[in-house]
Amino acid sequence: MLSLREPVSTRTGMTFHQMLEKIRYEGAYPTRDRAETVTRTVLEALGRQLPTAERTELAACLPTEAAHALTRHTPDPQQVTGWGFVKNLATRTGTTPATARWDTGAVLTTVARLTGPDLLARILHQLPDGYALLFGQAELRRPQPAAA
């Protein structure tokens, strides 16, 4: 049962419970507990990849519990590609890369809806290639310098 005291994100108007229900639906998870475990795991991993400014701004868009998961760890000094993110998540959780990719998509597509296009564009600009698809966005190629 939804508690009337559960904090609502001021920017999104969504509680953590509502966010988990959305992720549960998107990921076709059998229980809310499974959706919560996946959500916390993916957000903690994402928080390790984001620079502090974008991580802080994204946290402000999320319900309190999700924001805490995102900001729980300090950023890793070296970022990984989107595929590296999925492989690392699979290793950490003891799942297959396919399952980790599914989990990541279920969480990050919901996060993308909460952030809005401007912040999402800045986040994707700060991350290496391969993250746009994880957020449910088209992966646009970055311009490459002309060969000399």
Side-chain angles (χ1 to χ4, degrees):
M1 172 169 243
L2 180 62
S3 167
L4 296 177
R5 293 184 183 164
E6 184 177 5
V8 175
S9 171
T10 55
R11 256 179 107 173
T12 65
M14 183 179 280
T15 67
F16 187 57
H17 177 79
Q18 291 168 328
M19 181 181 180
L20 291 179
E21 286 304 315
K22 180 76 173 152
I23 291 167
R24 180 180 177 192
Y25 177 80
E26 293 290 329
Y29 299 113
T31 66
R32 182 176 172 273
D33 287 342
R34 176 70 180 131
E36 183 171 354
T37 298
V38 166
T39 299
R40 290 183 187 279
T41 301
V42 170
L43 289 176
E44 285 177 10
L46 179 64
R48 289 184 190 102
Q49 294 299 304
L50 290 174
T52 303
E54 284 74 19
R55 189 169 70 138
T56 302
E57 196 168 345
L58 176 56
C61 296
L62 302 175
T64 304
E65 297 88 337
H68 285 294
L70 183 74
T71 58
R72 183 173 178 194
H73 300 284
T74 58
D76 287 340
Q78 185 165 348
Q79 292 178 318
V80 296
T81 64
W83 176 238
F85 179 86
V86 169
K87 289 191 313 184
N88 288 349
L89 192 62
T91 300
R92 281 190 184 136
T93 59
T95 62
T96 66
T99 299
R101 170 61 180 93
W102 180 269
D103 293 345
T104 300
V107 174
L108 296 186
T109 56
T110 300
V111 168
R113 289 184 198 114
L114 297 176
T115 63
D118 293 338
L119 176 56
L120 183 58
R122 285 196 313 274
I123 288 169
L124 292 175
H125 182 73
Q126 293 296 321
L127 293 169
D129 290 339
Y131 281 88
L133 292 174
L134 299 177
F135 281 93
Q137 305 295 305
E139 182 73 45
L140 302 176
R141 294 181 55 96
R142 294 183 182 169
Q144 300 296 319

